[in-house]
Amino acid sequence: MSVDKTFNSDANDTKNLINEFFEMNDFYSADDVQLITKAWERLVELSSQITRPCGEPFYLHPLRVANILAQSKLDATTILACFFHAPEPIHFSIEDIQKEFGKEVASIVEQTSKIMTVSQSSRTLQQSDAIRKMLFALVDDVRIILIKLADKLDRIRNAKSLTEEEQHSVAEEIIDIWAPLADRLGMQAEKNELEDLSLKYTNPAVFQQIKSIVSQKKDERANYLEKATQSILQSAQKSNLQITITSRAKHFYSIYQKMRKRNKEAGELFDLFALRILCNTNADCYTLIGIVHSLWKPLDGRFKDYIAMPKANGYQSLHTTVMCDGRPLEIQIRTYEMHNMAEHGVASHWLYKKGTNHDLVEPEKLELFNKLQELKESHITDENFFKTLKNELLGDEIYVFTPKGDVKKLPAGSNAIDFAYSIHSAIGEKIVAAKADGKIIPLTEPLKNTQIIEVITNPQAHPTENQLKVVKTSKAHQKIHSWLATNDPTFSDKLIQQQKENAEIVVHQKKKRVKSDARPIPEEQTTRKVRIDGSINFLFTLAKCCNPKYPDPIVGYISRIKGVSVHRADCLTYQRIQNKEQRSIDVSWNE
């Protein structure tokens, strides 16, 4: 019995399996090899009698997960955490892991196991909480999410053993959450494979159709691409440029998206293949784009400069589409370093951190991490807010400009109201109209890439409930919601009813999860007698220093540990808190 396509050894030959692992990943030090081997032997010992529903030994999946991350040269600590990322079935406690392999490994395993599975069939507050925990785990240690991504990739690679319903569920979850997250982390290779394999199970007929079309006339396409390649090489040689050109078929999910967007069959699409040019410097990239455009006519609107304006995940490249011999041909131009970053994304932090590369994608430098760090202390549990947050963090993005030339990155589908709030909350609250490239546009119209947006305000204007329904960014949603809850009695009445219904859902869910929750929530934090920023679904604590009681006037302060700390308005302790203005929040007794 061989192990899928990852390893050639027999599934029961555990010594040869780990030897194969080290042969494929021969960069680990002697100490690392000794430690990883020790952990592997411990995993085998604990799980030797456990098999999965498909019949394979339990330990194969953790080894394959470890191998996925080893391909990006992640450290030995991550490999050990991969081995034990599902500790419950093998009865290996977090305390045991810490005792045998250290606190860091134990912490990663503990946090990884806490990330709840996001169920596609239950779009509830519980799902919002699951997304919240998963995204905020990124801030704690990106390796937690990398392990979960590798776990999902291995599961979809080996989905043949699952039932059709399970295959579809896993694939949908990957398309909805994990592939976009891999994209945000800059892990292009993993993102493409996750999408392609998911398409195989969500729409097998289309997957097979695309596969057949791509494989047809292979020689004809190879000759076409080779001719284009030679033209570029000859022109580059005249300019003394050293380059490498590779041709590739676009990944299947990308073709599928083009089919849907253009409403065409795969056979009607011509731009199924692309050329990638790798060079040494940024200046070479721009010289090469000039060479390409001198060889063939570029198509309008298809040139994108991700070097001058990198994507939020750190991705840099020049993209253009040209008409080559009567067919559209997509060409990407980037440096070798940009290519390595595009392939490995945030994992390049480990790939290059021992070298001298100063441009590597470090987790804390990604826009995704900055946004999450800002939101981590928020205790909002509104389902719509988290739907907005998830779409903003994991969806596509656009670049638009202020009249002064400042660049604003917004989620695709954002409108002028979102743009106004991205500049300043006061501008968002007073917006009455907007111009795109000098022409008036509806406030609800989705903005387009590279538009120059001008906001027109009126001091008498204020947010409306209709605006709340159409905005796409979490900031706009949050600010409008807060204003309406404070200033619009009709909205407040609706909100109270909605919060009552949500409270019943939360209580029901807590009862279902109470057996698995090791730490009971203190009574003072579960009471529903305080409304915070218009909501009653916040974690809060009644301050001990002043012991506020209804109907005392109260104020709220977002603490770092206990959620919102509620004080009496005349509390001296509250008055002495430094920078309280930046972290204060509206609170009132829920009557």
Side-chain angles (χ1 to χ4, degrees):
M1 174 180 171
S2 63
V3 187
D4 189 41
K5 296 180 181 179
T6 306
F7 301 100
N8 295 318
S9 300
D10 187 276
N12 298 310
D13 191 344
T14 58
K15 287 187 178 180
N16 270 340
L17 285 171
I18 196 64
N19 286 339
E20 269 198 76
F21 173 86
F22 288 125
E23 286 173 6
M24 287 188 282
N25 309 289
D26 58 1
F27 55 88
Y28 289 108
S29 68
D31 289 342
D32 286 343
V33 169
Q34 186 177 0
L35 184 59
I36 293 171
T37 301
K38 177 185 174 184
W40 169 250
E41 290 173 349
R42 190 73 171 105
L43 172 63
V44 171
E45 176 191 346
L46 291 165
S47 63
S48 59
Q49 303 303 313
I50 305 175
T51 58
R52 298 186 183 273
C54 62
E56 73 173 25
F58 178 89
Y59 50 73
L60 291 182
H61 169 67
L63 181 62
R64 293 195 298 256
V65 170
N67 189 65
I68 290 170
L69 294 186
Q71 299 297 304
S72 293
K73 294 182 170 58
L74 265 80
D75 54 16
T77 299
T78 310
I79 301 306
L80 268 60
C82 288
F83 286 167
F84 304 114
H85 75 276
E88 292 83 5
I90 57 177
H91 304 293
F92 198 34
S93 69
I94 300 299
E95 292 74 18
D96 290 335
I97 295 173
Q98 180 170 334
K99 184 178 179 181
E100 293 190 36
F101 300 105
K103 187 175 181 179
E104 188 177 6
V105 174
S107 175
I108 295 174
V109 171
E110 182 177 24
Q111 296 303 316
T112 303
S113 61
K114 280 183 179 179
I115 298 174
M116 300 161 61
T117 300
V118 184
S119 172
Q120 296 303 302
S121 60
S122 179
R123 298 183 179 275
T124 63
L125 288 174
Q126 184 174 357
Q127 185 194 24
S128 295
D129 189 50
I131 295 168
R132 176 197 182 97
K133 287 182 178 179
M134 180 193 71
L135 292 173
F136 285 168
L138 276 165
V139 180
D140 296 329
D141 192 328
V142 69
R143 290 174 293 184
I144 296 166
I145 297 297
L146 294 182
I147 291 171
K148 290 298 292 184
L149 273 168
D151 172 89
K152 296 297 178 184
L153 180 54
D154 184 67
R155 291 188 184 282
I156 197 68
R157 280 177 176 176
N158 296 275
K160 287 182 180 179
S161 60
L162 303 177
T163 65
E164 187 174 336
E165 184 179 351
E166 289 171 333
Q167 290 171 347
H168 202 272
S169 177
V170 171
E172 277 197 334
E173 181 183 324
I174 285 172
I175 289 294
D176 192 36
I177 299 292
W178 298 102
L181 187 54
D183 184 47
R184 277 296 180 267
L185 294 175
M187 303 172 70
Q188 197 67 31
E190 288 82 358
K191 173 238 182 192
N192 290 349
E193 187 177 359
L194 284 167
E195 288 180 338
D196 284 356
L197 291 175
S198 296
L199 179 63
K200 182 178 180 180
Y201 294 107
T202 55
N203 202 329
V206 169
F207 180 87
Q208 292 301 329
Q209 180 193 10
I210 295 173
K211 184 178 180 180
S212 175
I213 293 293
V214 169
S215 63
Q216 286 176 7
K217 300 182 179 179
K218 193 172 182 180
D219 292 339
E220 179 185 332
R221 287 198 175 99
N223 292 333
Y224 167 73
L225 293 172
E226 178 61 23
K227 183 179 177 182
T229 298
Q230 289 304 317
S231 296
I232 298 171
L233 285 172
Q234 290 170 11
S235 296
Q237 190 174 14
K238 293 176 183 177
S239 300
N240 296 318
L241 295 177
Q242 295 180 340
I243 63 173
T244 302
I245 303 179
T246 58
S247 62
R248 61 182 179 87
K250 293 186 177 179
H251 73 288
F252 289 6
Y253 192 79
S254 172
I255 296 173
Y256 171 62
Q257 293 291 72
K258 287 180 182 292
M259 291 168 61
R260 294 177 61 188
K261 184 177 180 179
R262 302 178 190 176
N263 195 26
K264 291 185 177 181
E265 295 292 321
E268 297 177 83
L269 298 175
F270 291 101
D271 51 342
L272 302 183
F273 287 78
L275 292 180
R276 179 176 294 145
I277 308 173
L278 303 182
C279 57
N280 292 313
T281 68
N282 289 17
D284 290 350
C285 291
Y286 290 104
T287 300
L288 283 163
I289 200 71
I291 289 173
V292 168
H293 286 173
S294 68
L295 289 171
W296 304 289
K297 182 181 178 181
L299 297 184
D300 289 341
R302 298 293 293 273
F303 172 66
K304 296 177 182 176
D305 188 345
Y306 294 120
I307 295 178
M309 291 191 296
K311 290 187 177 182
N313 60 14
Y315 176 87
Q316 290 185 288
S317 187
L318 298 178
H319 291 196
T320 189
T321 301
V322 296
M323 285 301 293
C324 175
D325 292 343
R327 298 183 188 179
L329 174 64
E330 183 180 306
I331 298 175
Q332 299 176 356
I333 304 171
R334 62 180 72 147
T335 67
Y336 292 98
E337 288 182 359
M338 290 175 191
H339 179 62
N340 287 328
M341 301 309 168
E343 291 298 297
H344 298 283
V346 74
S348 63
H349 175 66
W350 285 269
L351 189 64
Y352 292 104
K353 69 177 181 179
K354 293 181 181 179
T356 57
N357 190 302
H358 299 293
D359 299 319
L360 65 147
V361 183
E362 295 185 8
E364 61 273 15
K365 291 183 180 178
L366 288 185
E367 186 177 320
L368 172 65
F369 287 79
N370 296 332
K371 285 184 179 180
L372 288 172
Q373 190 66 56
E374 292 173 3
L375 292 164
K376 192 174 182 184
E377 290 182 358
S378 167
H379 295 278
I380 298 175
T381 55
D382 176 72
E383 182 179 359
N384 290 329
F385 173 78
F386 274 104
K387 181 180 179 182
T388 302
L389 174 61
K390 189 196 78 171
N391 290 341
E392 181 176 350
L393 293 177
L394 301 182
D396 294 331
E397 60 191 10
I398 60 170
Y399 297 81
V400 290
F401 298 89
T402 68
K404 293 182 178 180
D406 296 328
V407 180
K408 293 292 180 181
K409 294 179 184 178
L410 296 170
S414 294
N415 52 44
I417 304 169
D418 293 298
F419 175 81
Y421 275 98
S422 75
I423 298 172
H424 196 281
S425 299
I427 295 176
E429 289 182 359
K430 302 301 180 183
I431 185 173
V432 292
K435 292 181 180 179
D437 298 331
K439 297 179 180 179
I440 291 288
I441 59 169
L443 289 180
T444 58
E445 180 178 297
L447 303 180
K448 299 175 183 178
N449 255 324
T450 71
Q451 283 182 321
I452 299 173
I453 308 301
E454 180 184 349
V455 175
I456 301 169
T457 60
N458 185 314
Q460 305 303 316
H462 60 75
T464 67
E465 196 170 343
N466 283 336
Q467 288 181 349
L468 184 66
K469 294 175 182 177
V470 298
V471 292
K472 301 297 181 183
T473 61
S474 57
K475 180 178 181 180
H477 187 282
Q478 192 174 16
K479 293 295 182 181
I480 296 172
H481 189 283
S482 178
W483 192 95
L484 292 172
T486 304
N487 297 283
D488 187 337
T490 303
F491 181 79
S492 297
D493 291 341
K494 290 183 193 175
L495 191 61
I496 291 170
Q497 181 59 37
Q498 178 187 341
Q499 298 299 342
K500 284 181 180 178
E501 294 173 0
N502 287 346
E504 292 174 1
I505 295 172
V506 170
V507 169
H508 177 66
Q509 291 173 349
K510 283 182 177 177
K511 286 180 180 179
K512 289 173 65 178
R513 300 200 302 265
V514 70
K515 293 182 180 179
S516 60
D517 194 349
R519 293 185 297 172
I521 299 174
E523 182 180 347
E524 65 180 0
Q525 294 179 353
T526 59
T527 177
R528 297 290 171 178
K529 293 184 179 178
V530 175
R531 292 178 63 202
I532 300 172
D533 205 13
S535 171
I536 58 175
N537 283 329
F538 276 75
L539 176 70
F540 72 92
T541 305
L542 298 176
K544 300 289 186 184
C545 52
C546 56
N547 194 24
K549 295 179 182 177
Y550 179 81
D552 294 337
I554 54 176
V555 289
Y557 168 77
I558 301 174
S559 71
R560 296 188 184 279
I561 300 174
K562 298 181 179 180
V564 175
S565 180
V566 179
H567 297 253
R568 280 198 347 226
D570 60 352
C571 175
L572 291 178
T573 301
Y574 172 79
Q575 298 300 330
R576 292 170 183 156
I577 295 174
Q578 292 185 350
N579 301 322
K580 64 179 181 294
E581 291 80 9
Q582 284 78 25
R583 296 169 64 185
S584 294
I585 191 168
D586 293 335
V587 297
S588 61
W589 297 107
N590 183 35
E591 304 181 53

